Amino acid sequence: MSVSRRQFLANALASGALPLLPRPTYPTPRTLDATRLSKFVDPLPRPAVAVPIAPGRYRITMRATACQLHRDLPPTICWTYGGSVPGPTIETHSGSPFSVEWRNELPARHFLPIDHTLDGAGPGLPDVRAVVHMHGARVPAASDGYPEDWYVPGHSRLYRYPNRQPAAPLFYHDHAMGVNRLNVYAGLFGLMNIRDEAEDALALPRGEQEIPLVLCDRWLTPDAQLYYPISFIPGKPWVPELFGNAMMVNGKLWPECALAPRAYRLRAVNVANSRFFNLSLASGQPFHLIGTGQGLLPAPVALTSILLAPAERADLIVDFSGHAGEKIVLMNGDIPLMRFRISSGAAAARYRPPERLRRLQRIPERAAVRTRLLTLNQYDDLAANPMTMLLDGKYWHDPVSERPQLGTVEIWSFINLTDDTHPIHLHQARFQILDRRAFDVDAYLASSRLRYLAPARPPGLDERGWKDTARAYAGDVTRIIIPFDGYAGRYLWHCHLLEHEAKDMMRPYDIMPA
């Protein structure tokens, strides 16, 4: 526990707000030691491409499916879109509107532990509820997948996607209020790639040389079924984070991908509930980052590692032309994720990425009509709950307090008073990161005044494109600048650590008509 948090708890104890108790621990029942499985024995699958049922119209069904996660394991029951984990990839071109009928044919009972004390998961509600959010899409509110717009098995929703945004790697996932952490963990996620003419004109690897890497972690029971940990508190199984020992890429445990000695475009997506992935190649070779969650960067950035918080995406080019006959492991820190096996055939010419990728104008701060100071809060109260996570000290059902006007620009400053890094996602809006700055947390908790401890840090080159999810580091004020130029309506912003989001670290906001 940090000094700032200890001081906060001491102040709260003195005021009678909550008892000063240690952070809870959680039971560790018998689970499969997945790290003992043979690695790199299954080929890396490529998600199927969604096939429209008519021009511009798709139907994707949610159902329980037996999935083979590893050669040496029995099938695992997952909940899927279209019968696979990940679900089918929607390939589309900017400016081509389309619709998806999202059908819910899941079982009537959930197989993971629902916490009925969570907001929106009360005991009177059906166990199995679903609604689909297209993460990063600019859509009318009626098709955004609002958490309270869930529907039960036997029903469906038709969502319309105008698709008026530049090329970007998006993904879709469940967002049902109170249970989406379980639904996503069960397997309800898939990809969508938007293309456009500007990207098509670049000499980027494509076709078989473009490979999606959908990353997550899981716990498994000894008979290879999904296990979701629970707390010690009777009737309150929620846990504040989840870090499994089974690493999955495209629905397989530690797969291997056979490649030729040439350049490839690797499109990595972190769909884990809580885990951050720090990606690097065990060979130490560099790669080029060409894009993030909302599309291409202005220019390629040479890196040897990249950090992805939950919901973040990285568009990477790796040149294996000089590595014929080698086997190169993709690592998460010191944990292997998968392996690339490079054939010993003739190598392609060395790849040089384009010097310029996309023109991107930085939004000047003077364009903002308003600056909002928004706290990220954490409260420990073991007598009632393990902890509570809030945005700006407000619960989900408190009155809406953020109401930007369509066509305006605002600056939102996230004041992180917790010990965690929170990936903050805004529905509907894309934004640019302005800077981060360390501040005195104790002073803020005592007086609600910001006392900065260091100069502001500009975003790194890898964060200077358009974003829809920003990492708000502990003890920092993270500032983003947002043009609200899509649609009016009710949307939401939240922490994309799914366990935090479930504990009310999620707020609605209204984009008001111009």
Side-chain angles (χ1 to χ4, degrees):
M1 187 177 291
S2 70
V3 172
S4 61
R5 197 198 223 171
R6 186 163 55 240
Q7 184 60 53
F8 168 71
L9 289 171
N11 293 344
L13 180 64
S15 67
L18 51 85
L20 186 60
L21 294 171
R23 292 186 68 170
T25 56
Y26 300 95
T28 53
R30 186 166 170 257
T31 55
L32 178 73
D33 185 357
T35 62
R36 294 179 177 270
L37 292 169
S38 297
K39 294 179 175 58
F40 319 131
V41 296
D42 287 296
L44 176 77
R46 295 195 186 211
V49 175
V51 177
I53 58 174
R57 178 159 179 169
Y58 296 86
R59 177 182 293 132
I60 297 179
T61 300
M62 307 167 223
R63 62 169 68 97
T65 305
C67 299
Q68 192 74 40
L69 305 186
H70 189 276
R71 178 197 68 184
D72 299 331
L73 294 177
T76 302
I77 299 301
C78 299
W79 285 4
T80 69
Y81 293 111
S84 64
V85 177
T89 299
I90 299 172
E91 287 281 353
T92 183
H93 207 271
S94 179
S96 300
F98 67 95
S99 65
V100 180
E101 180 189 355
W102 300 103
R103 296 180 60 85
N104 184 350
E105 294 183 3
L106 294 168
R109 295 185 64 83
H110 218 299
F111 69 105
L112 297 176
I114 297 174
D115 188 329
H116 293 292
T117 68
L118 296 179
D119 207 349
L125 296 174
D127 276 7
V128 177
R129 298 169 282 120
V131 66
V132 182
H133 169 56
M134 188 69 74
H135 184 112
R138 301 169 72 186
V139 298
S143 294
D144 184 58
Y146 195 70
E148 295 178 338
D149 290 345
W150 50 261
Y151 49 101
V152 298
H155 294 261
S156 65
R157 291 287 187 275
L158 182 66
Y159 278 2
R160 294 178 171 85
Y161 301 95
N163 208 16
R164 292 195 290 266
Q165 62 189 100
L170 310 186
F171 71 108
Y172 57 91
H173 62 85
D174 182 79
H175 219 308
M177 189 79 181
V179 293
N180 77 306
R181 67 193 173 99
L182 305 178
N183 293 350
V184 172
Y185 191 81
L188 290 178
F189 51 82
L191 306 179
M192 183 176 93
N193 290 321
I194 302 177
R195 316 285 181 171
D196 65 14
E197 293 180 358
E199 182 189 281
D200 292 343
L202 297 171
L204 302 177
R206 63 190 65 201
E208 290 298 309
Q209 282 71 55
E210 182 176 325
I211 302 172
L213 301 177
V214 184
L215 311 172
C216 63
D217 60 334
R218 295 292 184 266
W219 287 105
L220 298 173
T221 63
D223 60 349
Q225 300 310 302
L226 289 173
Y227 171 76
Y228 190 99
I230 62 173
S231 78
F232 278 123
I233 303 174
K236 298 178 180 180
W238 175 87
V239 293
E241 63 273 317
L242 188 151
F243 303 101
N245 67 358
M247 301 295 143
M248 291 175 54
V249 185
N250 292 1
K252 288 288 185 182
L253 299 174
W254 294 286
E256 181 178 75
C257 184
L259 302 176
R262 59 173 303 161
Y264 287 84
R265 184 180 184 182
L266 308 180
R267 311 194 77 173
V269 185
N270 183 353
V271 298
N273 282 40
S274 303
R275 183 180 292 276
F276 288 57
F277 286 92
N278 188 17
L279 302 180
S280 65
L281 295 169
S283 59
Q285 72 188 87
F287 47 80
H288 284 92
L289 177 70
I290 62 169
T292 53
Q294 282 292 307
L296 296 172
L297 294 171
V301 179
L303 301 169
T304 55
S305 67
I306 185 167
L307 181 67
L308 289 184
E312 288 191 304
R313 288 89 76 201
D315 199 344
L316 308 170
I317 293 181
V318 183
D319 190 353
F320 293 112
S321 61
H323 298 270
E326 296 183 19
K327 296 177 180 178
I328 299 174
V329 177
L330 177 67
M331 305 292 293
N332 170 36
D334 59 357
I335 302 172
L337 293 176
M338 63 169 292
R339 187 169 72 182
F340 300 106
R341 177 167 49 85
I342 317 303
S343 70
S344 55
R350 183 181 176 187
Y351 179 82
R352 295 184 182 277
E355 291 185 3
R356 305 298 302 173
L357 297 167
R358 178 170 69 171
R359 187 182 179 196
L360 189 146
Q361 291 289 114
R362 299 294 298 177
I363 306 172
E365 291 190 37
R366 64 178 179 275
V369 300
R370 180 167 183 171
T371 294
R372 299 180 190 269
L373 302 180
L374 302 164
T375 56
L376 312 184
N377 311 95
Q378 178 174 312
Y379 307 98
D380 292 89
D381 184 355
L382 192 57
N385 289 292
M387 63 180 66
T388 294
M389 311 282 189
L390 297 180
L391 296 173
D392 209 34
K394 301 180 180 71
Y395 290 87
W396 168 257
H397 289 296
D398 285 338
V400 172
S401 48
E402 289 74 53
R403 287 189 167 137
Q405 187 177 54
L406 188 65
T408 66
V409 174
E410 294 193 357
I411 293 172
W412 289 18
S413 297
F414 302 127
I415 304 169
N416 191 346
L417 303 173
T418 80
D419 293 334
D420 293 323
T421 296
H422 299 278
I424 301 298
H425 170 51
L426 274 69
H427 286 218
Q428 171 58 32
R430 63 177 185 167
F431 55 79
Q432 295 173 4
I433 298 175
L434 289 174
D435 52 42
R436 297 180 177 93
R437 194 171 184 184
F439 72 104
D440 188 327
V441 175
D442 288 334
Y444 189 90
L445 291 169
S447 65
S448 297
R449 296 181 63 182
L450 282 171
R451 186 174 77 85
Y452 291 109
L453 302 176
R457 310 186 308 277
L461 294 176
D462 60 321
E463 288 190 305
R464 295 194 183 181
W466 288 104
K467 301 275 289 179
D468 55 49
T469 306
R471 299 187 298 271
Y473 293 112
D476 272 0
V477 175
T478 300
R479 297 196 308 148
I480 63 173
I481 189 165
I482 317 157
F484 293 98
D485 55 4
Y487 302 90
R490 176 154 294 183
Y491 296 93
L492 60 147
W493 63 288
H494 61 89
C495 175
H496 221 286
L497 301 180
L498 300 188
E499 283 66 38
H500 292 187
E501 171 190 323
K503 209 67 188 298
D504 263 24
M505 206 167 194
M506 181 168 71
R507 287 282 295 153
Y509 81 97
D510 290 337
I511 301 178
M512 307 302 293

